[in-house]
Amino acid sequence: MHRTLLTSALALAAVTGAAQAEQVFNRIASFPVASNMAEGEDRARETSAEIIDVTADGMTLVYTDSPLGVLGRINITDPAAPAPLGNIALDGEPTAVAVLGSTAFTGINTSESYTAPSGRLAAIDVTSGEELASCDLGGQPDSVAKAPDGSFIAVAIENERDEDLNDGVLPQMPAGFVVKIALTDGALDCDSLQKIEMTGLAEVGGDDPEPEFVDINALGEIVVTMQENNHIAVIGADGTVASHFSAGAVDLEGIDATDERGALLFTESQQGRKREPDAVKWIDDQHFATANEGDYEGGSRGWTIFSKDGTVVYESGTSFEHALVQIGHYPDKRSDAKGVEPESVTFGEFGGKPMIFVGSERGSIVGVYDATDPANPVLTQLLPSGVGPEGYVTIPERNLLVSANESDLIEDGGARAHVMLFEYAEGEAAYPQLTSEGMEELTGWGAISGMVAEGESTVWAVSDSFYGYQPRIFKIDVGSKPARIVEAIDITRAGHPAQKLDLEGITLDGQGGFWLASEGRTDRVIPHALYHVNAEGEIEEEVGLPAELMAVEKRFGFEGITLVNGTLWMAVQREWADDPKNTVKLVAYTPESGEWGAVRYTKEEPATGWVGLSEIVAHGDHVYLVERDNQHDDRAVTKKITRVSLDQMQPAPLGGELPLVTKEDVRDLLPDLKAGGGYVLDKVEGLAIFSDGTAWVSTDNDGVDDHSGETMFFTVGQLGTGY
């Protein structure tokens, strides 16, 4: 009897424990859009994943790709291993898609010009690619939405303005409108097309409305945003405007409103900033959420929940942007415009919780909010997306969230456009891996470069030249999860922020201060140099490169610095003029004597692009180096840690024959870089090794400039040898 009761109690405890286990979203896979191109197609062409939806069975994703003029399809039967299903060619530019069953209703822009807009709504069989029907829309479509009961399709006909004409000032005719088309047994009924006028509603450009985004609730009501007009309308089930109102404005405090100064200073304000909402999504039959990207005269950097009568139920203000600042995703080059630019919003119920997902176009982050109380939604997670998230789809029955990321940086050698999949499951949030949350002042950061370990749990790091007018040393506590920036030390010269620094390396000087390595750019008048700074960040000594090095120097300076028995060693990233092919220098400088020397190091032959060194760290009887190529995603080949024994580090005088050291491979970092479900990031730049051999690695996020902003900051445990 007692055994039975005990067994039952243990079973109940197990069930209760399972029920109470925390569920979170984590990224499980990334799909490069270019892999949907057919054999023989030019994969160097620009691709994009913009608006995305899923078939009724939850197994096939469908997305618009406007550069290629196609609908793309992805098999997600196994969501952790998405597979290409190929593209469906269209005779125009797809702007949006909504899938009912296995039919994709696609808005297609066929406009000849801004003044002669045209387009159609096509019904396409997702499996076969066959076009089943098409309706002329009488204008240029933007957003497409499906009624929850499958009874009709709504289309926002934007008839967008020419931003180069008259400085883009409204009005620019013809005016936009909304279209409603009935579905009969799932088929388009073009004869039912209803044109719903939006003119005369907005205070801004009222005679030239530009409907941007539409969504439909269970009552058959259509909510439509008019972004440039800063206006919102709700269209009743009968197809007439039931209510409309200004989207309003927000007073913003504690923002960075100055562009390209190379510093993150959140001390400015903007009063009366118009919301100008882009995406809109019903969260129930009475409320909807908007992402307030801005486009014409505004952009409030946040998102809002409205009642359908126009009452503001919740306003995020700067809280969403500030959350991105703390995890290193703030795009400084957009400071004077729209900051993190929330562009996308969607809704889904997971584990019984109503959730709102807000996408930052420029910060490349998806914010997850628990909207149990619409008046007080709670930010629970920040998920790393690809570059420029544009569209989302939730698949609650499979515990999946999917983001479509539109930016393809192939022309600049950057990351390709990707679709990313996130799963809601028990576990711990894998991202962010580094944050400044908890500091007394809002502290932005990014472009983490060189690192060095101290004590049991402190890593010191520097950011590179992207923040050239705010060079800093960051103190990071790796004993917490995620790792936390707990102090930011400004580097100063004569008490003022030091400028013209390109910091790529940091090491302890053994006296409470630091030695820093500045890579330099002679074409930008940034010197190649070493800097000795005290604990407060004040530069006490500056050491320029000797004439023997400057005579052969190209653009590539020091990437990393470490101290060995009184001698500083610096890794040079790439070949200089006197280096044999695929070799670089490891340069030595002894501060006490002022002597310089070097050895040579052989790096890998690049498969594509180039291979170079990004870090050097002394530990035990070796110096450890980060060797990497400059490739992203599936093009990446070389990302690894190597080492060279100290007994080989015998520098020869500059100008003569330099000894060639032999390296030993220690760890292939490609599996680590793929472990987060994203594409491989190119810039592994930081390495710190504690006294017990535990190593930490970081990536440089380029200051969120043509980059997703994602920073990987992780431990690889105690370093061994071999792969």
Side-chain angles (χ1 to χ4, degrees):
M1 178 66 175
H2 292 294
R3 181 179 296 275
T4 302
L5 288 174
L6 177 60
T7 303
S8 299
L10 290 173
L12 177 60
V15 170
T16 303
Q20 292 177 343
E22 184 178 7
Q23 288 191 291
V24 296
F25 285 95
N26 278 316
R27 186 175 52 197
I28 58 172
S30 298
F31 177 86
V33 174
S35 65
N36 249 336
M37 299 176 74
E39 186 176 351
E41 285 190 81
D42 180 6
R43 299 221 170 179
R45 290 181 60 191
E46 180 186 359
T47 63
S48 184
E50 296 163 292
I51 304 302
I52 193 163
D53 206 350
V54 67
T55 53
D57 62 4
M59 298 297 173
T60 303
L61 295 171
V62 183
Y63 62 87
T64 59
D65 184 336
S66 62
L68 290 184
V70 301
L71 281 184
R73 299 168 295 178
I74 308 171
N75 181 347
I76 58 167
T77 302
D78 178 358
L85 290 174
N87 294 322
I88 301 171
L90 306 170
D91 61 350
E93 174 196 10
T95 61
V97 63
V99 180
L100 281 168
S102 60
T103 302
F105 296 92
T106 308
I108 302 174
N109 178 21
T110 58
S111 302
E112 295 181 359
S113 66
Y114 289 104
T115 57
S118 63
R120 63 192 186 95
L121 180 68
I124 298 173
D125 184 281
V126 171
T127 303
S128 68
E130 177 187 0
E131 184 171 306
L132 306 174
S134 177
C135 301
D136 188 306
L137 294 171
Q140 171 250 315
D142 195 335
S143 170
V144 174
K146 59 192 176 187
D149 64 1
S151 61
F152 69 93
I153 297 291
V155 185
I157 307 298
E158 183 178 12
N159 291 344
E160 64 183 353
R161 65 195 168 102
D162 182 352
E163 296 185 29
D164 295 324
L165 176 65
N166 192 28
D167 293 326
V169 175
L170 297 177
Q172 290 186 21
M173 300 304 182
F177 49 92
V178 173
V179 160
K180 182 177 179 180
I181 303 176
L183 299 176
T184 303
D185 296 327
L188 281 175
D189 180 1
C190 296
D191 292 337
S192 73
L193 187 149
Q194 182 180 6
K195 180 180 179 181
I196 305 167
E197 299 288 354
M198 296 283 107
T199 55
L201 303 180
E203 295 178 4
V204 179
D207 55 348
D208 182 20
E210 294 194 16
E212 185 77 23
F213 214 97
V214 289
D215 194 43
I216 308 168
N217 66 13
L219 301 177
E221 297 170 326
I222 305 167
V223 61
V224 52
T225 58
M226 290 164 272
Q227 186 171 7
E228 287 80 2
N229 312 95
N230 195 38
H231 210 75
I232 300 171
V234 176
I235 300 168
D238 61 357
T240 63
V241 176
S243 65
H244 68 90
F245 42 87
S246 168
V250 181
D251 293 335
L252 302 176
E253 303 288 346
I255 64 170
D256 187 340
T258 304
D259 192 15
E260 295 191 15
R261 62 182 165 194
L264 299 174
L265 301 173
F266 301 98
T267 57
E268 297 170 285
S269 64
Q270 291 177 337
Q271 304 300 308
R273 191 72 170 178
K274 294 176 181 177
R275 289 189 173 97
E276 294 186 3
D278 187 335
V280 62
K281 190 72 176 180
W282 290 99
I283 61 177
D284 56 37
D285 289 340
Q286 303 300 320
H287 304 92
F288 53 80
T290 63
N292 306 324
E293 178 199 22
D295 188 58
Y296 187 50
E297 300 174 321
S300 65
R301 305 181 181 223
W303 66 282
T304 309
I305 296 178
F306 291 92
S307 288
K308 62 184 179 184
D309 64 1
T311 303
V312 173
V313 174
Y314 168 79
E315 168 57 47
S316 73
T318 58
S319 63
F320 179 60
E321 178 165 280
H322 285 183
L324 269 66
V325 169
Q326 292 174 332
I327 65 167
H329 279 256
Y330 182 76
D332 187 44
K333 287 192 174 181
R334 303 295 298 176
S335 288
D336 68 339
K338 296 168 282 187
V340 298
E341 294 189 33
E343 182 176 22
S344 313
V345 64
T346 196
F347 175 82
E349 188 169 302
F350 289 81
K353 292 181 182 179
M355 294 185 179
I356 297 172
F357 304 89
V358 181
S360 163
E361 178 187 10
R362 296 292 178 171
S364 298
I365 278 288
V366 184
V368 182
Y369 286 82
D370 181 343
T372 301
D373 178 3
N376 187 33
V378 178
L379 179 62
T380 61
Q381 280 189 263
L382 294 167
L383 305 175
S385 195
V387 186
E390 176 79 8
Y392 299 89
V393 61
T394 58
I395 314 174
E397 62 274 15
R398 300 191 66 196
N399 285 324
L400 297 176
L401 167 71
V402 182
S403 72
N405 304 281
E406 67 174 339
S407 297
D408 190 330
L409 305 177
I410 183 65
E411 290 188 3
D412 298 320
R416 304 301 306 263
H418 279 72
V419 169
M420 294 191 171
L421 292 93
F422 306 84
E423 184 177 40
Y424 189 63
E426 293 180 7
E428 295 183 346
Y431 201 82
Q433 296 179 331
L434 180 63
T435 180
S436 64
E437 183 183 4
M439 294 187 67
E440 289 186 9
E441 294 184 2
L442 180 66
T443 301
W445 57 274
I448 294 296
S449 186
M451 304 200 304
V452 64
E454 183 180 33
E456 296 183 354
S457 62
T458 294
V459 166
W460 299 93
V462 290
S463 54
D464 68 18
S465 62
F466 187 85
Y467 304 105
Y469 291 87
Q470 192 186 46
R472 281 180 162 176
I473 299 171
F474 295 102
K475 183 179 182 181
I476 302 170
D477 177 12
V478 300
S480 62
K481 191 173 183 180
R484 294 187 182 275
I485 295 173
V486 296
E487 185 180 2
I489 302 172
D490 290 323
I491 299 171
T492 56
R493 183 184 283 115
H496 300 285
Q499 299 181 11
K500 297 296 183 180
L501 301 183
D502 181 11
L503 300 180
E504 296 287 351
I506 180 171
T507 194
L508 305 173
D509 69 356
Q511 302 170 3
F514 308 92
W515 279 97
L516 310 177
S518 178
E519 180 182 19
R521 285 285 299 269
T522 53
D523 58 335
R524 297 179 183 174
V525 200
I526 301 175
H528 305 295
L530 304 178
Y531 296 91
H532 191 198
V533 304
N534 62 23
E536 288 72 41
E538 176 72 13
I539 295 175
E540 297 185 334
E541 182 182 2
E542 181 174 343
V543 181
L545 269 63
E548 295 93 332
L549 290 179
M550 293 302 294
V552 297
E553 175 270 337
K554 282 190 173 181
R555 164 184 161 185
F556 317 108
F558 297 147
E559 288 262 346
I561 185 171
T562 194
L563 184 64
V564 182
N565 298 325
T567 295
L568 294 167
W569 281 93
M570 290 70 66
V572 178
Q573 185 178 72
R574 293 166 63 184
E575 296 94 331
W576 283 357
D578 64 337
D579 289 323
K581 183 180 179 182
N582 287 329
T583 68
V584 292
K585 294 182 181 70
L586 305 180
V587 177
Y589 171 71
T590 304
E592 185 174 344
S593 65
E595 293 179 328
W596 291 83
V599 297
R600 292 194 196 278
Y601 172 100
T602 302
K603 56 191 180 66
E604 299 299 316
E605 177 81 27
T608 305
W610 54 260
V611 170
L613 298 181
S614 286
E615 181 69 289
I616 182 170
V617 179
H619 172 70
D621 296 329
H622 296 81
V623 290
Y624 291 78
L625 302 109
V626 172
E627 185 175 337
R628 67 166 182 94
D629 57 24
N630 66 332
Q631 300 299 299
H632 293 81
D633 44 61
D634 56 359
R635 295 164 289 172
V637 174
T638 302
K639 315 281 187 190
K640 63 181 179 179
I641 299 172
T642 68
R643 73 181 187 181
V644 175
S645 61
L646 286 179
D647 59 14
Q648 295 186 74
M649 303 289 283
Q650 304 298 324
L654 300 175
E657 186 67 25
L658 300 179
L660 183 67
V661 299
T662 301
K663 71 183 180 185
E664 182 180 11
D665 287 340
V666 174
R667 186 180 182 94
D668 182 4
L669 293 173
L670 284 174
D672 300 298
L673 296 171
K674 295 176 181 178
Y679 55 78
V680 174
L681 300 171
D682 67 328
K683 289 189 174 181
V684 183
E685 297 249 332
L687 175 65
I689 307 176
F690 286 92
S691 58
D692 66 352
T694 300
W696 285 78
V697 176
S698 68
T699 62
D700 178 350
N701 73 0
D702 282 337
V704 205
D705 182 28
D706 286 337
H707 193 286
S708 69
E710 182 171 352
T711 294
M712 296 189 73
F713 189 92
F714 58 94
T715 180
V716 295
Q718 291 184 319
L719 290 177
T721 58
Y723 277 11

